[in-house]
Amino acid sequence: LFLFSARASHSTNESSILVHGVTTLDGELYILKNVTSNSIDVYDTLNYALQRQIDVPDIVGTTDITACWLNHCLYISDHLTNYIHRIEKQGRVTQWPLNDTPQGLSVTPDHNLLVTCNEARKLKEFTSVGELVREIFLEPDVVHPLRAALLTSGQFVVCHGDVSDPVHRVVIVGADGRTRQSYGGPPGPSLTQLYTPVRIAVDKDGFILVADYCNRRVLV
């Protein structure tokens, strides 16, 4: 991420560059920059050369980006319009209203889109064309969920805790939204604590990777 910010600063004020999301699709790396940006930078993953930019109209406040390899498309969440934007490889853009404020995005093992709704404390799962599959309401102590992913077990892993929140955790929740396991607690720098866990990912072996933002580290 520092590499791409440095490259972008040749033509733009470096202080104005902020990466809001990164994803890969079909051998290309997609970088979503700045909350009000309506374009995506596309890099070659072999030599990391900038290939092109994709313009996405009607974006006001970007939050996250993710990709689905099966449907060959990208998704972007907009927290100011509460819309999800779907961008096909050929450039066609469609969108649908979320009716909640979106935060994080991920693609499920069934290739649906999972959206984390930060203020409403719930998850929404959609088909690739925007049909609502289900809503999962989280428990009251899961305050400000930031990102979520659906595990192959059918459970969800969710990271939550904004800077001023009293609890910062990664939790495993069932399809009913009930918490089954949790890691973390009050924010802090020790190995058993988190401080604003803003991103999560699950690898092919089932390990959960957590971007622990204020501690400037990744936990596995």
Side-chain angles (χ1 to χ4, degrees), residues 58-75:
D58 303 323
I59 285 183
V60 179
T62 59
T63 311
D64 200 9
I65 185 173
T66 193
C68 178
W69 63 265
L70 181 69
N71 294 297
H72 300 284
C73 68
L74 305 168
Y75 302 102

Side-chain angles (χ1 to χ4, degrees), residues 16 40 88 116 162 191:
S16 68
I40 306 167
E88 298 176 9
T116 305
D162 210 343
L191 193 60

Side-chain angles (χ1 to χ4, degrees), residues 9-111:
S9 67
H10 290 307
S11 58
T12 309
N13 185 335
E14 186 173 357
S15 63
S16 68
I17 301 296
L18 185 62
V19 174
H20 275 249
V22 178
T23 192
T24 58
L25 180 64
D26 298 337
E28 293 183 313
L29 182 67
Y30 296 82
I31 308 291
L32 184 66
K33 298 183 306 187
N34 293 349
V35 69
T36 57
S37 175
N38 59 1
S39 66
I40 306 167
D41 290 347
V42 185
Y43 291 82
D44 188 331
T45 55
L46 295 178
N47 54 25
Y48 297 104
L50 180 62
Q51 300 295 305
R52 66 188 188 281
Q53 287 187 318
I54 300 175
D55 292 326
V56 185
D58 303 323
I59 285 183
V60 179
T62 59
T63 311
D64 200 9
I65 185 173
T66 193
C68 178
W69 63 265
L70 181 69
N71 294 297
H72 300 284
C73 68
L74 305 168
Y75 302 102
I76 295 176
S77 54
D78 189 326
H79 73 279
L80 293 180
T81 63
N82 295 341
Y83 267 75
I84 302 297
H85 300 264
R86 182 184 189 271
I87 304 99
E88 298 176 9
K89 284 281 288 184
Q90 298 82 3
R92 180 172 177 262
V93 179
T94 55
Q95 57 272 322
W96 66 83
L98 184 67
N99 299 319
D100 280 298
T101 303
Q103 186 69 31
L105 303 176
S106 66
V107 174
T108 73
D110 293 329
H111 310 288

Side-chain angles (χ1 to χ4, degrees), residues 118-156:
N118 183 270
E119 297 297 332
R121 293 201 321 275
K122 63 183 176 182
L123 310 176
K124 284 187 171 183
E125 184 177 349
F126 294 91
T127 67
S128 183
V129 294
E131 297 171 342
L132 182 63
V133 176
R134 56 177 168 169
E135 288 182 302
I136 296 91
F137 293 87
L138 304 172
E139 293 190 307
D141 62 346
V142 183
V143 180
H144 293 132
L146 298 171
R147 297 295 184 282
L150 178 60
L151 305 174
T152 54
S153 65
Q155 297 179 315
F156 297 88

